[in-house]
Amino acid sequence: MRVVMFGYQTWGHRTLQALLESDHEVVLVVTHPRSEHVYEKIWDDSVAELAEKHGVPVLLRNRPDDAELLETIKAAAPDVIVANNWRTWLPPEIFDLPPHGTLNVHDSLLPAYAGFSPIIWALVNGEERVGVTAHRMDGELDAGDILLQRSVPVGPDDTATDLFHRTCDLIAPLVRESLDLIASGRAEWTPQDRSRASFFHKRSVEDSRIDWNWPAEDLERLVRAQSDPYPNAFTYHRGERIRIVSAAVSQARYGGTPGRIFIREGDGVVIVAGADARGGHRKGLLVRTVRTDDGTEYAAGDWFRTMGGYLTTRP
């Protein structure tokens, strides 16, 4: 089949690589210009450079809303469009143009976690599995009929970085199998159960700010979800921003006011956590490693030399 590919960053790069290694012909690639957005600079393997290396025509667009783009796609005469991590809505005159429509690859187990940063949100929320979905694009974002899904388990110590690499490894076989099913006429599409759908916004710096009213279990997952190279979960100590690089849930239960720097436990320092921590039924967040804005890391026991005082959400 003749394939037009829409994609961006490492997800798009992996998809294009799979297409180039398949029996199908990539006739055009559309990708976004490089961005300075903090999350878009992390996994930023260049789709444009890979396409150019293989002699595939490339168009750079922020949005797919110009007549020249539409005419170029029509001239390429694709049998199918494949999209992965295209950051804006595609209009129906594009996604319905090929005979087989547009196959979108999304890094969640749809219908849950449609939208942005699904792996991070899923880890924060304590999901047991994450994965990727190949579905047919329609007029609603990440809502089209599903062709294939593949998943991996979330381990108790997994970070968002671990899960990123594991789910990225699912992309190539998912794309190849999906296109083979479509080309052979064996594709079976399953409508999404919209009663189970959830949709998440892009993450920003505000989403990494620690709220000590959260239970320690949730905060520990937030720290893992904001692992390097993502912007780390952060808080303020004596007016200075510190990033929590490594943490765990405390062994004992500690009562008091959320954010209180309470006691040494094992290899860390316990911070009281949970809106109802005053009842003494909650465990705290055992902070092990912190990092200052200049990049210097400290063991929590070296940074918090005396107990007492509070960590705060604002300076």
Side-chain angles (χ1 to χ4, degrees), residues 145-162:
D145 293 352
I146 292 172
L147 179 56
L148 291 175
Q149 287 188 322
R150 296 291 182 266
S151 69
V152 293
V154 179
D157 300 315
D158 280 340
T159 66
T161 305
D162 297 328

Side-chain angles (χ1 to χ4, degrees), residues 167-285:
T167 54
C168 266
D169 287 343
L170 300 174
I171 291 173
L174 183 85
V175 168
R176 287 195 293 265
E177 186 176 351
S178 295
L179 289 188
D180 288 346
L181 288 171
I182 292 170
S184 66
R186 295 180 291 115
E188 296 182 5
W189 303 89
T190 303
Q192 293 189 35
D193 179 356
R194 302 308 296 158
S195 69
R196 296 176 49 241
S198 56
F199 188 89
F200 286 81
H201 61 73
K202 289 183 180 180
R203 291 187 69 83
S204 68
V205 172
E206 185 64 27
D207 299 302
S208 301
R209 188 187 305 274
I210 290 176
D211 180 348
W212 292 103
N213 288 304
W214 284 22
E217 293 82 1
D218 292 358
L219 292 177
E220 187 271 339
R221 290 195 300 270
L222 175 65
V223 170
R224 286 191 283 126
Q226 297 296 154
S227 58
D228 293 338
Y230 294 102
N232 304 123
F234 68 92
T235 187
Y236 287 87
H237 181 228
R238 297 175 178 170
E240 180 177 355
R241 182 166 73 167
I242 57 171
R243 305 165 193 268
I244 308 299
V245 177
S246 176
V249 178
S250 68
Q251 292 295 314
R253 292 177 171 82
Y254 298 96
T257 301
R260 177 76 173 188
I261 305 164
F262 192 4
I263 194 170
R264 297 177 189 273
E265 184 186 276
D267 59 352
V269 173
V270 176
I271 312 300
V272 177
D276 56 352
R278 64 187 180 279
H281 307 298
R282 289 283 186 184
K283 295 188 176 185
L285 185 71

Side-chain angles (χ1 to χ4, degrees), residues 8 51 61 70 93 104 125 166 174 204 211 228 233 236 262 271 293:
Y8 185 50
R61 291 293 189 277
L70 180 59
E93 54 266 30
N104 186 55
N125 292 330
R166 245 179 269 155
L174 183 85
S204 68
D211 180 348
D228 293 338
Y236 287 87
F262 192 4
I271 312 300
D293 275 349

Side-chain angles (χ1 to χ4, degrees), residues 66-85:
D66 61 278
E68 178 190 1
L69 174 61
L70 180 59
E71 291 306 312
T72 303
I73 296 171
K74 287 180 178 178
D79 297 298
V80 66
I81 292 173
V82 176
N84 192 348
N85 200 42

